[in-house]
Amino acid sequence: MKRFVTLCVLAMLCMLLAAPGAAMAKKKIKAGFALLWTIDDRGWTTAHYNGIQHMKEKLGDDVEVIYKEKVLGPDAERVFREFAEEGCDIIFGTTFDHMEPILRVARDYPDIKFEHCSGYKTASNVRTYMVRIYQADYLCGYLAGLMGFKDVGTVGTHPIPEPVRGVNAFTLGLQRGLMEAGVEHGETVNTVAWLNSWADPVKETTLAETLIAKNHDLIRQMADTPDSSLAACAADVPAMGYGTDAASWGAECVLSSAMLNWGPYYVKAIRDFQNGTWETGSYWKGFEANGVKLADFHESVPQEVRDKVLAVQEQLKNGQDDIFTGPIFDQNGKKVLAEGERFDDGQLLSMQMLVKGVQGKLAR
């Protein structure tokens, strides 16, 4: 009898111990991603897809992913609603033009979390996220300046804050590198030509070829695809890539690339939801959160230059971001930031001026 009672007590204890574990079992999260273009676009969407794959590798069976390619602004609301009806717990819009559609859908599905990349509007169930790619842009400019490039031609995308910030950061890095290298240069060191598109391979090639014909000594790619870098290589002109590693797509003349690294954020977003710690707001991190990367250096980059660039990268990883610290002048010579002052995040996110040293206009 005692043995029977003992066994019953042990069985009850096992049930009590097992119950909390069962209650704490993590729910498998279903995540939906609306992608701007195809996963093999070699740029913006490829970077997001790489981030999704990283997240899946890290989280394994904790997450189920569905995605749809070529989700442009006009079609985004339909896709978001489909994701919601298909049982997604969290939905990601991965381009600026998804902002208004994601807000409209979020209002109708208050129990679903929504994440919008590169936007600036939030709601109780909508969070925005972006990485500080301008930090990697700055390092690319610094590298170029240290190597003596003083008449860069930039193939830009849209003259809106994100690309404008990148043009300015690259230029500030370029000017610093030229100064440290003791290279004399003219007032203009970076000429930007706007695509007024995120990706247009034909126009990217044409603009790069036009800049090369005007004797610009390096081509700075900022579009979502590497075609401007490829055009530079075809003309034996060095280039700087953007988004992903342009050299991996055949642009062998690229000195380095400013790379978007979305994986760590996607892991964070799913974990936040899973742990009940998800909250609205705006996420904006850089090297300190492994959100951006610098691609491997071209063999022509001297070791001394590599060391200097990596030293600044290490400062950025440690949270020391002095890129937009005064004095800074706009392209007309007006002081927009006094000595020691710095732009706050609000000013950076709304930036609509070009710094001294840039030739180009913001009007579309």
Side-chain angles (χ1 to χ4, degrees):
M1 182 67 181
K2 289 182 179 180
R3 184 178 178 185
F4 175 77
V5 172
T6 301
L7 289 172
C8 287
V9 171
L10 287 172
M12 292 177 65
L13 284 171
C14 288
M15 290 174 65
L16 288 170
L17 289 170
M24 292 172 62
K26 291 181 179 178
K27 175 182 180 293
K28 188 169 188 174
I29 307 303
K30 187 171 185 178
F33 289 82
L35 303 174
L36 173 63
W37 205 242
T38 59
I39 61 174
D40 59 354
D41 74 350
R42 305 171 298 166
W44 180 263
T45 299
T46 295
H48 279 285
Y49 182 71
N50 290 343
I52 293 168
Q53 296 304 105
H54 171 87
M55 179 261 290
K56 288 168 65 177
E57 290 172 5
K58 291 292 184 182
L59 301 182
D61 292 337
D62 284 354
V63 64
E64 175 189 352
V65 172
I66 60 174
Y67 67 86
K68 188 171 181 61
E69 301 169 279
K70 293 186 177 181
V71 182
L72 304 180
D75 197 35
E77 182 171 343
R78 178 186 65 81
V79 172
F80 293 141
R81 291 188 184 280
E82 286 181 359
F83 284 167
E85 292 301 317
E86 289 176 23
C88 285
D89 300 294
I90 186 167
I91 296 172
F92 295 81
T94 61
T95 188
F96 182 80
D97 290 343
H98 290 169
M99 182 166 64
E100 297 302 335
I102 212 168
L103 288 165
R104 287 195 294 270
V105 176
R107 284 194 291 268
D108 295 337
Y109 296 90
D111 294 330
I112 297 175
K113 305 304 182 188
F114 293 82
E115 300 262 357
H116 180 226
C117 180
S118 77
Y120 58 88
K121 293 183 179 181
T122 63
S124 61
N125 61 334
V126 179
R127 180 162 71 183
T128 63
Y129 67 100
M130 187 56 191
V131 291
R132 295 180 186 264
I133 189 64
Y134 73 82
Q135 294 179 342
D137 292 330
Y138 179 82
L139 293 184
C140 285
Y142 184 45
L143 187 160
L146 289 170
M147 291 186 68
F149 295 101
K150 58 183 181 180
D151 192 7
V152 175
T154 292
V155 179
T157 51
H158 291 280
I160 61 175
E162 179 200 332
V164 168
R165 200 164 53 242
V167 169
N168 288 337
F170 180 91
T171 304
L172 293 171
L174 180 64
Q175 291 168 330
R176 174 182 173 179
L178 288 168
M179 180 186 67
E180 291 184 11
V183 176
E184 294 184 1
H185 57 84
E187 185 171 315
T188 296
V189 294
N190 186 13
T191 299
V192 59
W194 298 107
L195 285 167
N196 288 313
S197 172
W198 294 116
D200 185 335
V202 173
K203 194 172 180 181
E204 290 167 46
T205 300
T206 300
L207 286 180
E209 291 174 344
T210 300
L211 291 166
I212 291 166
K214 294 181 178 179
N215 297 316
H216 291 284
D217 54 12
L218 181 142
I219 296 300
R220 165 64 167 148
Q221 170 204 332
M222 291 194 74
D224 291 351
T225 49
D227 293 273
S228 53
S229 288
L230 289 166
C233 295
D236 292 324
V237 174
M240 287 287 185
Y242 178 86
T244 59
D245 182 3
S248 69
W249 308 112
E252 297 179 355
C253 67
V254 167
L255 301 179
S256 187
S257 296
M259 297 173 60
L260 300 154
N261 191 34
W262 300 110
Y265 180 73
Y266 288 149
V267 172
K268 168 185 164 51
I270 299 300
R271 286 295 190 217
D272 284 352
F273 183 91
Q274 197 171 50
N275 297 333
T277 56
W278 191 99
E279 57 184 10
T280 187
S282 297
Y283 176 95
W284 199 27
K285 301 287 187 182
F287 277 109
E288 78 277 19
N290 199 23
V292 295
K293 299 171 71 174
L294 201 60
D296 291 341
F297 298 118
H298 188 272
E299 61 182 11
S300 66
V301 179
Q303 188 61 49
E304 181 184 2
V305 171
R306 299 179 188 216
D307 292 343
K308 287 188 174 184
V309 172
L310 291 176
V312 177
Q313 178 180 272
E314 193 62 28
Q315 292 174 354
L316 291 166
K317 284 183 176 180
N318 292 330
Q320 184 181 337
D321 183 348
D322 299 321
I323 293 170
F324 288 100
T325 300
I328 292 178
F329 299 83
D330 69 15
Q331 64 183 159
N332 298 316
K334 177 186 177 182
K335 183 181 285 188
V336 293
L337 207 58
E339 179 81 33
E341 292 183 349
R342 58 194 304 165
F343 287 134
D344 60 30
D345 282 355
Q347 291 169 311
L348 290 175
L349 290 167
S350 61
M351 185 170 285
Q352 277 293 274
M353 67 90 192
L354 294 169
V355 299
K356 186 176 181 180
V358 179
Q359 180 177 312
K361 296 181 179 180
L362 293 183
R364 289 176 179 269

